[in-house]
């Protein structure tokens, strides 16, 4: 419907621009444009344009959430108390040219798998990522990022590694570590924080990961046993077994990483830290009833 409407409006504007040079009936016949439709648009063009307050609200939302498409914009408007049809939001987004054009990039995925160097746990989650109990199921993984530096005046690529722990109750990042190398110490420090944050769970917890070398180490598996936490691992070479965490990495890289060049470790580290706060506190999700992970957790706690 929208393309047909735009096409009719364009034809009506062409007719208006040519009326001084040719007779109206000749123009309409040449364009194959009904006179009634032209008269409708002529009357519409003559009406004074009334400012649409909804457009200003949508622009304000997009200023804070630069990667919100029309569905999330519609949901955020509803959350703010504005009753509006989703298709109306879509038309405004098209009119204001606010379509999201996120960058995509394909590269070799970082893999910490080095074979069986320790204990390989069973896949206890078996893709059962949903849970109604906060802090019961936790998943983790490591992702690699690149930034540019200089060595003797020549550009050189450096790497940064992110190790987050996510609560599958609301997809909230409960702890994370950022470092310049993929280290067992970094993963262990994020693990300790995740254990502390999730200690209020009344049921026995499950921590899920891939078969990366750090998750097979005795110090890691021993720490989980000390806390009576079940350890679960994805099957070898099967990213779908930890798709929730892979989805988080995809969102993070699409919204702050791809299409940008970072020139220092601190710049990239700060951007990731700020995004995690934004993701937890303000980025709404359809699966959470158009609430942010933190808002969903607080609502569940007060229920």
């Amino acid at each position: 419907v929208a393309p047909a409407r735009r096409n009719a409006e364009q034809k009506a504007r062409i007719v208006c621009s040519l009326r001084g040079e040719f007779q109206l009936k000749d123009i309409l016949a040449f364009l194959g444009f009904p006179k009634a439709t032209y008269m409708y648009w002529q009357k519409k063009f003559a009406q004074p344009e009334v400012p649409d307050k909804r457009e200003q609200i949508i622009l304000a939302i997009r200023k804070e959430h630069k990667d919100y498409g029309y569905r999330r914009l519609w949901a955020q408007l509803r959350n703010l108390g504005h009753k509006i049809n989703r298709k109306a939001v879509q038309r405004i987004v098209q009119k204001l040219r606010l379509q999201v054009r996120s960058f995509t990039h394909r590269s070799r995925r970082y893999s910490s798998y080095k074979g069986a160097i320790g204990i390989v746990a069973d896949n206890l989650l078996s893709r059962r990522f949903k849970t109604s109990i906060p802090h019961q199921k936790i998943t983790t993984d490591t992702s690699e990022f690149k930034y540019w530096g200089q060595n003797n005046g020549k550009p050189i690529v450096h790497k940064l590694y992110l190790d987050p722990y996510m609560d599958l109750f609301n997809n909230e990042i409960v702890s994370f570590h950022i470092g310049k190398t993929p280290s067992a110490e970094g993963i262990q420090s994020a693990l300790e924080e995740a254990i502390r944050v999730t200690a209020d769970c009344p049921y026995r917890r499950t921590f899920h990961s891939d078969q990366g070398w750090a998750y097979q180490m005795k110090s890691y598996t021993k720490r989980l046993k000390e806390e009576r936490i079940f350890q679960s691992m994805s099957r070898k070479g099967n990213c779908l077994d930890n798709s929730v965490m892979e989805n988080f990495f995809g969102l993070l890289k699409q919204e702050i990483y791809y299409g940008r060049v970072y020139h220092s470790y601190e710049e990239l580290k700060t951007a990731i830290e700020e995004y995690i706060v934004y993701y937890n506190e303000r980025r709404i999700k359809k699966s959470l009833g158009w609430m942010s992970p933190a808002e969903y957790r607080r609502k569940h706690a007060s229920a």
Side-chain angles (χ1 to χ4, degrees):
V1 175
R5 183 179 177 85
R6 286 197 298 270
N7 186 41
E9 182 180 356
Q10 291 172 356
K11 285 186 176 182
R13 292 189 183 280
I14 293 172
V15 174
C16 291
S17 66
L18 296 176
R19 281 206 63 181
E21 302 178 31
F22 305 95
Q23 290 187 0
L24 177 61
K25 63 177 183 179
D26 296 332
I27 302 172
L28 295 175
F30 179 77
L31 294 176
F33 195 50
K35 184 176 181 180
T37 307
Y38 165 71
M39 299 304 294
Y40 163 83
W41 282 105
Q42 186 185 43
K43 183 178 179 180
K44 194 170 182 66
F45 294 153
Q47 294 175 350
E49 187 172 350
V50 180
D52 191 342
K53 293 182 180 180
R54 300 176 303 179
E55 294 181 4
Q56 300 305 316
I57 298 171
I58 288 174
L59 287 170
I61 295 173
R62 275 299 297 272
K63 188 175 182 180
E64 182 181 0
H65 306 277
K66 65 181 181 64
D67 292 287
Y68 271 18
Y70 78 90
R71 293 179 182 85
R72 277 195 172 83
L73 288 171
W74 168 76
Q76 186 71 355
L77 284 165
R78 295 290 295 268
N79 289 343
L80 295 173
H82 300 282
K83 292 185 178 181
I84 183 172
N85 185 277
R86 189 164 64 177
K87 289 186 177 180
V89 176
Q90 186 179 21
R91 286 195 294 269
I92 293 173
V93 167
Q94 291 173 343
K95 175 185 175 183
L96 300 179
R97 300 180 183 277
L98 296 178
Q99 292 93 335
V100 177
R101 294 179 174 84
S102 298
F103 291 91
T104 57
H105 178 73
R106 292 183 179 273
S107 62
R108 183 183 66 83
R109 179 177 170 270
Y110 168 75
S111 175
S112 58
Y113 180 74
K114 294 183 179 179
I117 64 170
I119 298 175
V120 176
D122 293 333
N123 184 14
L124 300 181
L125 285 193
S126 190
R127 303 188 188 177
R128 296 190 298 269
F129 301 123
K130 297 294 183 181
T131 176
S132 59
I133 303 170
H135 300 158
Q136 183 191 32
K137 295 180 179 180
I138 306 298
T139 185
T140 184
D141 200 354
T142 299
S143 188
E144 178 185 276
F145 299 76
K146 296 178 182 179
Y147 63 95
W148 290 87
Q150 286 198 345
N151 184 14
N152 297 325
K154 294 182 179 180
I156 185 172
V157 176
H158 298 283
K159 295 180 180 180
L160 174 151
Y161 296 86
L162 170 65
D163 308 299
Y165 282 76
M166 174 187 286
D167 183 5
L168 293 178
F169 165 69
N170 61 344
N171 291 3
E172 182 176 11
I173 303 301
V174 297
S175 72
F176 64 93
H177 175 267
I178 297 175
K180 293 183 178 181
T181 58
S183 65
E185 292 80 7
I187 292 175
Q188 201 78 19
S189 67
L191 170 66
E192 291 297 334
E193 178 64 11
I195 291 173
R196 185 190 69 79
V197 171
T198 62
D200 60 349
C201 182
Y203 300 94
R204 191 165 179 179
R205 293 163 284 173
T206 299
F207 278 37
H208 182 75
S209 68
D210 61 14
Q211 296 183 22
W213 60 270
Y215 308 117
Q216 297 183 40
M217 291 183 63
K218 289 184 178 179
S219 58
Y220 189 92
T221 57
K222 180 183 176 182
R223 189 71 185 95
L224 294 180
K225 287 180 180 179
E226 290 174 349
E227 296 292 332
R228 297 189 71 252
I229 296 173
F230 291 120
Q231 185 175 17
S232 172
M233 286 185 178
S234 304
R235 292 166 295 177
K236 177 184 173 183
N238 198 323
C239 63
L240 294 178
D241 285 351
N242 201 4
S243 58
V244 180
M245 185 56 76
E246 296 295 342
N247 180 62
F248 169 74
F249 287 143
L251 287 174
L252 189 156
K253 291 184 177 183
Q254 189 178 66
E255 296 186 2
I256 69 163
Y257 181 65
Y258 296 144
R260 286 194 58 179
V261 177
Y262 292 90
H263 297 283
S264 70
Y265 170 78
E266 288 300 327
E267 181 188 10
L268 180 54
K269 179 174 180 288
T270 300
I272 293 173
E273 290 172 339
E274 290 177 349
Y275 181 83
I276 291 176
V277 173
Y278 164 75
Y279 172 86
N280 280 343
E281 297 290 338
R282 302 199 303 278
R283 192 183 190 279
I284 61 177
K285 297 173 68 69
K286 183 179 180 181
S287 60
L288 300 179
W290 295 117
M291 289 183 279
S292 68
E295 185 181 3
Y296 185 82
R297 168 176 46 82
R298 290 191 289 265
K299 182 179 179 181
H300 180 272
S302 63

